Amino acid sequence: MSSRRWRESSRTNISDEQITQLLSALRQLLPEIPHSHSRKASSAAEVLKQTCNYIKTLHREVDDLSDRLSQLLATIDADSAEAAIIRSLLI
Amino acid sequence: VKNPSSSLKSRFITRFLGALTKINAEDPISSPSPTRILQLYRRIKVASNKSMAYSVRSRRIWSRAMLSRFRSRRSAFSGRRSSVKTTNCTTINVTINENKTAKGGLDMQTDELRELVPGGEAMDVCNLLDETAHYIKCLTTQVQVMRKIVDFCHISKKSSM
C-alpha cells in the first residue's frame, strides 16, 4: 500500500501543504515574544522549538498554580475554601 | 451556535471544582504542615490533569493516552497496551519511515515534541501537529481556570482575616 503512495507524487505535495497548514496553525497559538525584534517563528524547526518551550512553560504554570492552590487550601479553613470554590463556579 | 471550546471549559471547571471540593472536605482541620501541603499539591495537580483529560474524553489521541495512563496506574499493573488510533488526518497518512527530505528533517525535529504530548511517540507527524494544537489549547484553559480559582481563594482568605 505504501508503494502506491510513493508513485503518486501529487499526494506527497498535498501532505507537504497539510503539514505547512498544521504548522501555521501551531504558530498562531504561540505567544508573542515582547522583547524579540524578530518576527514570529518562520521555519518549521523554529515553530517546533517554540512549541516545545511553550508546552514546557504551560506545564510549569500548572505546577506553580497547583502549588499555590495547595498552600491556600491548607491555610484557609474548609468553609471559606468551599465558599470560594463555589463562587468560582459563577465565572 | 454552541461554542465547543466554551463547553469544554465548563466541563473542566465543573470536574476540577468538584475534585477540589472533595480534596478540601477530606481534611476539615486546616494544617499547613509541609507534608500536608505536598500531598495537596500532588492531588491538585493530578486532579487538574485528570479533569481536563476526562473533559476531552476519548475524542483525542492525547487524551486517550492520558486516560489510559491514569487507569493503568490505578490498576497497579505496569504493562499496558497502547492502541492508538489516528482519527484526524484521514486523507494522508504520513508514515514515519518515508525518506523524503522535508518530512525526514521534520521527523528528527519532532522528537522532543513527541515526549511532551501524551501519546506522541506513536503518532505520525500529521497527527502529532494536530494533537499538539489541541493539547496546547487545553493546557491554556487549565491555566486560565486555575488562575481564577487561586484569585478567588486569595480574596476569600483576605476577607476572612
Side-chain angles (χ1 to χ4, degrees):
Chain A
M1 199 158 115
S2 59
S3 55
R4 207 189 309 142
R5 246 178 252 133
W6 278 106
R7 274 180 250 132
E8 295 178 37
S9 56
S10 56
R11 285 192 108 192
T12 48
N13 285 337
I14 295 171
S15 72
D16 276 344
E17 200 181 292
Q18 199 167 16
I19 289 184
T20 312
Q21 273 177 7
L22 290 167
L23 281 173
S24 92
L26 267 183
R27 196 184 299 130
Q28 300 300 323
L29 295 173
L30 298 174
E32 295 285 345
I33 312 161
H35 303 294
S36 150
H37 296 291
S38 61
R39 50 194 160 81
K40 247 191 195 179
S42 44
S43 72
E46 263 302 298
V47 173
L48 287 176
K49 193 176 97 177
Q50 285 190 24
T51 302
C52 289
N53 289 337
Y54 189 40
I55 293 180
K56 286 190 236 175
T57 306
L58 290 169
H59 283 165
R60 275 198 302 267
E61 281 197 62
V62 171
D63 268 354
D64 177 59
L65 288 164
S66 302
D67 183 42
R68 285 163 69 186
L69 260 179
S70 67
Q71 306 265 358
L72 285 166
L73 283 189
T75 51
I76 319 176
D77 67 277
D79 290 332
S80 312
E82 176 120 14
I85 289 168
I86 292 171
R87 238 179 275 138
S88 38
L89 267 169
L90 304 170
I91 302 170
Chain B
V1 175
K2 229 184 190 180
N3 181 359
S5 62
S6 70
S7 61
L8 170 69
K9 189 172 171 180
S10 329
R11 284 200 303 275
F12 171 70
I13 291 175
T14 311
R15 277 181 208 273
F16 184 52
L17 289 179
L20 281 183
T21 310
K22 216 171 156 194
I23 293 172
N24 180 50
E26 277 165 22
D27 189 24
I29 306 161
S30 61
S31 48
S33 70
T35 342
R36 170 74 182 142
I37 293 178
L38 183 61
Q39 234 176 31
L40 281 175
Y41 158 74
R42 285 196 190 122
R43 295 189 62 187
I44 292 170
K45 190 173 160 189
V46 167
S48 177
N49 290 328
K50 256 189 176 171
S51 301
M52 184 47 86
Y54 275 107
S55 300
V56 176
R57 290 186 278 248
S58 50
R59 285 199 305 274
R60 285 279 172 172
I61 304 177
W62 74 260
S63 61
R64 291 201 292 272
M66 237 177 146
L67 291 173
S68 86
R69 246 186 247 171
F70 288 131
R71 283 181 199 130
S72 69
R73 257 187 235 160
R74 215 172 46 205
S75 71
F77 287 119
S78 53
R80 59 180 163 85
R81 254 181 308 156
S82 53
S83 51
V84 178
K85 279 183 258 182
T86 63
T87 51
N88 296 302
C89 293
T90 48
T91 47
I92 309 290
N93 188 12
V94 180
T95 57
I96 293 176
N97 293 316
E98 276 185 72
N99 54 24
K100 289 269 170 178
T101 44
K103 281 179 282 301
L106 205 60
D107 287 329
M108 289 190 292
Q109 291 153 359
T110 55
D111 284 346
E112 196 188 0
L113 188 58
R114 287 178 190 280
E115 286 174 34
L116 291 169
V117 177
E121 326 80 38
M123 296 179 202
D124 60 46
V125 174
C126 214
N127 276 309
L128 179 65
L129 297 178
D130 190 47
E131 291 284 311
T132 301
H134 189 264
Y135 184 53
I136 288 180
K137 285 182 201 158
C138 293
L139 279 174
T140 50
T141 302
Q142 253 179 281
V143 167
Q144 210 179 55
V145 171
M146 286 175 88
R147 264 198 208 129
K148 267 250 164 84
I149 296 176
V150 166
D151 288 343
F152 271 104
C153 284
H154 258 303
I155 293 170
S156 145
K157 184 177 183 184
K158 276 195 191 142
S159 63
S160 68
M161 290 197 311

